[in-house]
């Protein structure tokens, strides 16, 4: 499992899980803004980026969570960590919190949702995954990009994200799409998340809207909600400074 490590070389880890269909470079601006304040870990999930773990037909959110726990064991078996997940990475973070909650000092959920897919959405994912070898990643990027950003987000950011999508392995993208289609509803897990939690949402996110994420935060006992201005579904790239400041403040409180 490939990962990039920045910041401090010792101390408590903060592990960042990217969304679909991206890789660890989604967090590069976040890393730059956070600087050396913490020990920061940015992995590529199975089937994405430079990770070379075998890719199954279906990459489940539970498998991603197990991979994350295995990476944590490699890096630090004793300290509790903070896991931050965006979109699909948020699904993985919730699975991690459900299975390995005693290993968490804190949880950050960004532009994600606890509900499972509707039947129609799940079927669309399965069709998209099946067609991917023929349609390719250009078609996937064309379909996804219009919904990812706030209207004012610049073309430079849009182009960077597009290139990130285009360099992902086809098999990994398809497997993750199937895994998201099959993921369970996590709503009933939320009241059991006792760790300090920060729920972040881009103010103009149309995929995981502010209203839905506020409702999710309200179900978590020790959660705080924060919206990020001038951002859609990807605050870490659209408003990296504001996003990093929110994360930094949260980490300062819990550590």
């Amino acid at each position: 499992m490939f990962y990039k490590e920045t910041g401090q070389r010792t101390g408590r880890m903060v592990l960042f899980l990217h969304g679909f269909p991206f890789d660890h470079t989604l967090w590069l601006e976040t890393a730059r803004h956070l600087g050396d304040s913490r020990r920061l870990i940015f992995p590529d999930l199975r089937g994405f980026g430079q990770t070379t773990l075998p890719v199954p037909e279906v990459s489940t959110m539970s498998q991603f969570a197990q991979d994350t726990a295995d990476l944590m064991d490699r890096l630090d078996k004793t300290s509790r960590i903070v896991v931050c997940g965006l979109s699909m990475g948020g699904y993985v973070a919730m699975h991690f919190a459900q299975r390995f909650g005693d290993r968490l000092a804190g949880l950050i959920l960004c532009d994600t949702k606890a509900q499972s897919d509707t039947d129609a959405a799940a079927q669309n994912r399965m069709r998209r995954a099946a067609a991917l070898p023929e349609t390719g990643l250009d078609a996937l990027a064309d379909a996804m990009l219009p919904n990812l950003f706030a209207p004012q987000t610049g073309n430079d950011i849009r182009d960077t994200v597009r290139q990130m999508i285009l360099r992902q392995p086809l098999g990994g993208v398809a497997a993750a799409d199937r895994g998201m289609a099959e993921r369970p509803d996590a709503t009933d897990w939320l009241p059991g998340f006792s760790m300090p939690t920060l729920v972040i949402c881009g103010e103009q996110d149309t995929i995981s809207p502010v209203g839905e994420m506020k409702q999710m935060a309200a179900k978590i006992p020790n959660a705080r909600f924060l919206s990020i201005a001038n951002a859609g579904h990807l605050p870490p790239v659209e408003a990296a400074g504001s996003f990093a400041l929110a994360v930094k403040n949260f980490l300062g409180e819990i550590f």
Side-chain angles (χ1 to χ4, degrees):
M1 191 172 186
F2 176 86
Y3 66 93
K4 181 178 179 63
E5 182 170 354
T6 67
Q8 298 178 4
R9 295 299 171 181
T10 59
R12 292 179 186 254
M13 294 189 302
V14 186
L15 196 146
F16 294 81
L17 302 174
H18 61 78
F20 172 94
F22 310 124
D23 58 28
H24 78 278
T25 61
L26 183 79
W27 305 105
L28 289 182
E29 283 299 299
T30 299
R32 185 175 69 84
H33 282 281
L34 288 174
D36 294 333
S37 59
R38 300 287 170 190
R39 186 183 181 192
L40 310 176
I41 310 294
F42 306 93
D44 287 337
L45 294 172
R46 183 185 295 254
F48 293 91
Q50 300 176 58
T51 285
T52 56
L53 292 169
V55 178
E57 184 73 10
V58 180
S59 290
T60 65
M61 303 305 102
S62 183
Q63 178 65 70
F64 287 144
Q66 183 63 60
D67 292 341
T68 301
D70 292 343
L71 176 61
M72 180 181 166
D73 283 345
R74 284 171 53 194
L75 298 174
D76 186 343
K77 287 188 175 183
T78 58
S79 299
R80 292 190 301 155
I81 69 167
V82 173
V83 169
C84 172
L86 180 141
S87 195
M88 181 184 75
Y91 306 156
V92 179
M94 283 183 273
H95 274 74
F96 190 96
Q98 173 69 5
R99 295 181 56 189
F100 309 108
D102 60 334
R103 306 176 77 171
L104 285 178
L107 180 66
I108 306 174
L109 301 173
C110 313
D111 298 87
T112 190
K113 56 183 65 181
Q115 304 99 316
S116 58
D117 279 349
T118 63
D119 289 344
Q123 290 168 11
N124 183 61
R125 287 193 194 277
M126 299 299 279
R127 285 194 297 268
R128 186 170 67 180
L132 199 56
E134 181 179 344
T135 58
L137 291 171
D138 275 301
L140 180 65
D142 289 342
M144 291 189 66
L145 285 169
N147 300 316
L148 291 178
F149 305 105
Q152 65 270 33
T153 299
N155 288 333
D156 54 341
I157 291 175
R158 295 171 187 264
D159 291 343
T160 296
V161 172
R162 182 182 184 86
Q163 292 307 311
M164 197 186 309
I165 294 172
L166 296 182
R167 66 172 174 260
Q168 302 311 315
L170 276 174
V173 172
D177 223 359
R178 296 185 186 102
M180 287 189 290
E182 295 182 4
R183 75 184 189 279
D185 193 302
T187 304
D188 289 344
W189 302 350
L190 302 179
F193 293 170
S194 59
M195 69 290 296
T197 301
L198 176 63
V199 178
I200 300 178
C201 185
E203 205 171 62
Q204 299 177 68
D205 190 346
T206 58
I207 298 174
S208 305
V210 165
E212 290 184 9
M213 293 208 68
K214 279 185 176 178
Q215 292 175 11
M216 184 172 72
K219 296 178 185 298
I220 302 173
N222 195 12
R224 185 197 322 161
F225 175 82
L226 179 68
S227 64
I228 303 291
N230 302 314
H233 194 59
L234 301 178
V237 294
E238 296 178 89
S242 298
F243 177 83
L245 181 61
V247 171
K248 186 174 184 177
N249 289 341
F250 177 68
L251 297 176
E253 291 172 11
I254 64 173
F255 289 152

